[in-house]
DNA sequence: CTCTTGATGATACGGTCGTACCATCAAAAT
DNA sequence: ATTTTGATGGTACGACCGTATCATCAAGAG
């Protein structure tokens, strides 16, 4: 209503106005924060530290993120993108055609801290989790929608596996899916806490998946192929 | 060697010297920190805030805990005491004689945030967990010995249940115990994160325990009794 | 009764935090 | 050519942090 900027629609007219790419700069700064959060925690991620990590001045961090809350939320959005991108890539790397078991397995192993990248992602996620616990106003809803979607995704493929006779049809799929996700998250916490290493956690997760999917005759072979697939993920 | 204080053993000679009970004051201050950590996070637990919460002056906090690290570690020790005390009381409240299932069930439900006290404990534990992730020097070893002991405790009773025919003898007890603990921790995280409430998490945990323990004939009755026991815990 | 000493109060110091303000410079608009 | 404006640098401000220092008061020792 006010201004009517769209009267003369120039081709150069963009949301990012003139000189530099704002989205790019924001991403550069936001990922600098994520890098600090993954190694030294969010407490160490002051605006000055983020500026130094990103190689820009403090003023620039303020320029692209007017306040610290905005910076934290922006970086959290980037973290969510990285996490879901990893899950997708991880599933795709398990080969075609995707079986229900490989989809469940790929999803859960993607969020288990077994390599450097997943450790970085889960560590950063844990840092944000603690921050949200202390300051619930930051959460908005990013904290519940994504795990809920993951659970529905897992439950759907568990049901498919039940229909294919690969999983006990007496199983309650949503409850089992929630349990698998909680199991994986709990295992991840134990890895980050130093209680065991990523391989041990992966072995425990694989064991439980074998018990779930090894319900039809010939389950031994299925367990073996799953275990070799687990080996492929580590290198 | 130097001083030889034990030469004249006076009856009043104590580690807490003259006037006030140092252990009591330390506990009072340490639990004030835990109270702040459970509600506003450890970031909000500055020495001044702890002093105000404990109703003492800043100087006193410094007097009984020479440095902030000492305060954090001391309060962490109190938290560990509270946690293990709750686990023991929770198991004892499940009635005698303790069955393997009630021991496993009581242990896991004790650390699941279903009521106000367990929520407080797990929230505080989560705050410390994030702090240790960012500052591993604080951990010493408190982070790994306690979960390891819990896992061994659970695995032992799973083996007993196997010997009694209540659990599938083909189950690998240590792996299943680690899985149960990770499942419970993961469920707890989802409760604290607001994804579901304590009752929903308890239902998921009970479902998995029923699948584990419901292996002998007459499993339906066992599942029913377990579910009623779960109901008893909530009030 | 004096003196030592444990326990406590008040306050100061250097540092870091998030934020705000002012100046500059170059590209775009006119 | 001049003006405007997006983008950036430098720096200051007030608040809070952990820690240190100085002072005081009361109880037990001699």
């Amino acid at each position: 209503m006010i201004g009517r900027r769209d009267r003369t629609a120039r081709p150069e007219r963009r949301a990012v106005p003139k000189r530099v790419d704002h989205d790019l700069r924001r991403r550069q700064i936001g990922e600098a924060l994520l890098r600090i959060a993954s190694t030294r925690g969010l407490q160490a991620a002051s605006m000055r530290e983020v500026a130094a990590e990103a190689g820009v001045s403090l003023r620039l961090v303020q320029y692209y993120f007017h306040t610290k809350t905005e910076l934290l939320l922006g970086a959290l959005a980037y973290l969510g993108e990285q996490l879901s991108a990893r899950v997708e890539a991880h599933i795709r790397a398990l080969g075609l055609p995707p079986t229900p078991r490989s989809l469940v397995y790929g999803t859960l192993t993607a969020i288990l801290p077994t390599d450097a990248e997943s450790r970085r992602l889960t560590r950063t996620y844990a840092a944000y989790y603690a921050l949200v616990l202390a300051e619930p106003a930051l959460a908005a809803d990013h904290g519940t929608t994504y795990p809920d979607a993951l659970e529905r995704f897992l439950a759907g493929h568990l049901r498919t596996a039940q229909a294919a006779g690969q999983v006990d049809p007496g199983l309650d799929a949503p409850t089992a899916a929630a349990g698998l996700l909680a199991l994986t998250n709990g295992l991840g916490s134990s890895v980050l806490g130093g209680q065991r290493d990523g391989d041990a956690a992966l072995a425990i997760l694989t064991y439980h998946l074998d018990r779930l999917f090894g319900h039809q005759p010939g389950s031994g072979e299925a367990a073996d192929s799953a275990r070799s697939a687990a080996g492929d993920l580590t290198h």
Side-chain angles (χ1 to χ4, degrees), chain A:
Chain A
M1 280 195 176
I2 303 178
R4 301 201 9 121
R5 283 165 165 243
D6 53 343
R7 177 113 70 95
T8 65
R10 306 273 199 80
E12 302 86 7
R13 202 61 185 99
R14 300 206 149 274
V16 177
K18 301 292 169 55
R19 211 89 107 256
V20 304
D21 189 339
H22 269 219
D23 289 340
L24 195 75
R25 272 246 183 283
R26 282 174 63 95
R27 185 162 239 107
Q28 168 192 357
I29 295 173
E31 292 189 350
L33 181 140
L34 294 182
R35 236 172 296 137
I36 295 176
S38 73
T39 55
R40 290 179 287 155
L42 274 174
Q43 325 208 27
S46 70
M47 311 228 89
R48 287 167 176 83
E49 283 292 326
V50 171
E53 173 72 27
V56 300
S57 71
L58 168 64
R59 181 66 181 83
L60 272 229
V61 179
Q62 285 189 265
Y63 186 73
Y64 290 100
F65 299 92
H66 304 51
T67 176
K68 174 145 197 201
T69 301
E70 215 173 297
L71 171 60
L72 286 169
L73 288 179
L76 178 58
Y78 296 144
L79 175 64
E81 292 178 12
Q82 291 179 12
L83 199 58
S84 56
R86 177 179 164 99
V87 170
E88 290 180 20
H90 215 261
I91 290 177
R92 222 174 292 122
L94 245 54
L96 292 177
T99 67
R101 170 170 177 135
S102 77
L103 285 171
V104 171
Y105 184 87
T107 302
L108 296 179
T109 55
I111 60 179
L112 197 66
T114 51
D115 57 10
E117 191 205 10
S118 54
R119 277 185 72 92
R120 183 181 67 82
L121 288 173
T122 51
R123 281 176 64 94
T124 314
Y125 200 81
Y128 267 101
Y129 173 75
L131 180 67
V132 166
L133 277 195
E135 204 84 33
L138 275 178
D141 54 353
H142 287 83
T144 60
T145 59
Y146 189 64
D148 282 347
L150 264 185
E151 280 189 22
R152 278 192 300 271
F153 179 79
L154 294 173
H157 292 297
L158 282 184
R159 263 189 291 260
T160 305
Q162 283 177 316
Q166 299 163 356
V167 166
D168 176 14
L171 190 81
D172 184 62
T175 303
L180 281 179
L181 190 57
L183 169 70
T184 307
N185 282 332
L187 286 175
S189 298
S190 72
V191 171
L192 297 187
Q195 193 189 345
R196 68 186 118 241
D197 60 17
D199 290 339
L202 184 60
I204 295 173
L205 175 60
T206 304
Y207 178 84
H208 284 81
L209 283 178
D210 285 346
R211 289 207 118 226
L212 259 188
F213 280 87
H215 220 265
Q216 80 284 21
S219 63
E221 182 202 342
D224 278 349
S225 69
R227 204 162 279 126
S228 67
D232 286 342
L233 286 173
T234 52
H235 67 261

